[in-house]
Amino acid sequence: MTRYGARIWLLAAATSGMAGYVDAVGFLKLGGLFVSFMSGNSTRFAVGLAGDPAVARMAIWLLAAFVGGVVAGTVIARVAGSWRKPIVLLAVGGLLALAAWVDLLVADGWATLLMAAAMGCVNTTFQRAGEVSIGVTYMTGTLVKFGQRLADALMGGDRWGWVPYLALWLGLVGGAVAGSVAYRSFGMASIWGAASFAVALALLALSFGPVEPSYVASGRAGRNVQ
C-alpha cells in the first residue's frame, strides 16, 4: 500500500470507514454476526455446528453472500477496466441502497445478506496486477503490516511507512463507532447513509481520472499502478 499516492490511501481509509460503519450496523442487527468480518463468521459457523444450528445457518449464508459480492466486484472491475474504482464503488452503493429498501419490505435476513455482498464487492476496489492490493474490511493483515512498518521505522527504515496502515485501521474503527450510533438512532435506515457515502466515494474516485487496467484484453494480468 505504501506504493500508492496519498490520495489513494486516503480514499482507502475513507472506504474502510464506510465498511466499518456497515459492519457495525450489521453486527447490531444480527446480534453478534458480521457482514464484513468473515473470519469471525467462520468461527461462529463452526461453533454453531456444535450447538446452535440457526447461527451456523445464518453464518454460512453471510459467507456465501460475501464471496458472491467478491465475484461480482471482480467481474465489474475487470469489465470497467481503467474506471474500476468509481464503478465498483457505485455498485457497492447500489447494493447498500437495495439492502435498505429490502429491509422495509422483506423479513429479516435478506437485507443483511445484501450488506455482506456489498462488503465483498468493496474489497475489489483496490487492485494491483489483477489481485486485491488493499483489503478494506479485514484488519488483521493491516495491523501486522502496521507493526512491521513501525518496527522498520524504529530501526532506521522508512519513517512514515506505517501511517497508511494505521489510517486504514482508524478509518474502520471510526466508521464502526458512527455506525453504532446511527443504528441506535435510526435502525436499518442508517444504511441509506452508507449508500450515499459510497456514491460520494465513487465521485471522488472518478475525479482521480482513469487508471491502468488490471487486465489486458487477453485476460492476462497487466500492470496496475492504482
Side-chain angles (χ1 to χ4, degrees), residues 110-123:
W110 292 104
T112 49
L113 293 180
L114 287 165
M115 290 162 64
M119 294 299 93
C121 186
V122 79
N123 275 292

Side-chain angles (χ1 to χ4, degrees), residues 20-33 35 99-100 103 108-109 111-112 115 174-194:
Y21 179 103
V22 173
D23 202 32
V25 172
F27 181 84
L28 293 170
K29 173 72 172 178
L30 292 165
L33 288 166
V35 295
D103 186 71
D108 290 349
T112 49
M115 290 162 64
V177 171
S180 299
V181 172
Y183 182 80
R184 289 184 169 92
S185 299
F186 305 107
M188 281 291 287
S190 56
I191 289 299
W192 288 111

Side-chain angles (χ1 to χ4, degrees), residues 62 100 135 152:
L62 289 165
D152 188 49

Side-chain angles (χ1 to χ4, degrees), residues 17 23 63 75 83 88 98 104 131 165 169 173 200 204 207 223:
D23 202 32
L63 288 160
V75 171
W83 298 99
V88 168
L98 183 60
L104 297 174
E131 299 290 337
Y165 301 100
W169 180 79
V173 172
L204 177 61
S207 73
R223 289 188 307 148

Side-chain angles (χ1 to χ4, degrees), residues 4-142:
Y4 287 100
R7 65 181 187 175
I8 296 298
W9 61 257
L10 286 173
L11 175 64
T15 304
S16 184
M18 184 266 293
Y21 179 103
V22 173
D23 202 32
V25 172
F27 181 84
L28 293 170
K29 173 72 172 178
L30 292 165
L33 288 166
F34 305 90
V35 295
S36 76
F37 180 46
M38 293 301 124
S39 295
N41 281 347
S42 297
T43 300
R44 292 300 306 272
F45 171 68
V47 172
L49 286 178
D52 194 339
V55 169
R57 185 165 53 251
M58 190 63 201
I60 199 65
W61 276 112
L62 289 165
L63 288 160
F66 183 89
V67 172
V70 174
V71 172
T74 300
V75 171
I76 290 169
R78 190 175 298 192
V79 171
S82 298
W83 298 99
R84 63 189 171 278
K85 285 183 176 61
I87 298 301
V88 168
L89 288 167
L90 281 175
V92 170
L95 284 168
L96 291 173
L98 183 60
W101 180 71
V102 164
D103 186 71
L104 297 174
L105 304 175
V106 185
D108 290 349
W110 292 104
T112 49
L113 293 180
L114 287 165
M115 290 162 64
M119 294 299 93
C121 186
V122 79
N123 275 292
T124 66
T125 305
F126 300 93
Q127 298 187 33
R128 185 181 293 275
E131 299 290 337
V132 172
S133 57
I134 305 174
V136 296
T137 71
Y138 38 90
M139 289 295 115
T140 301
T142 296

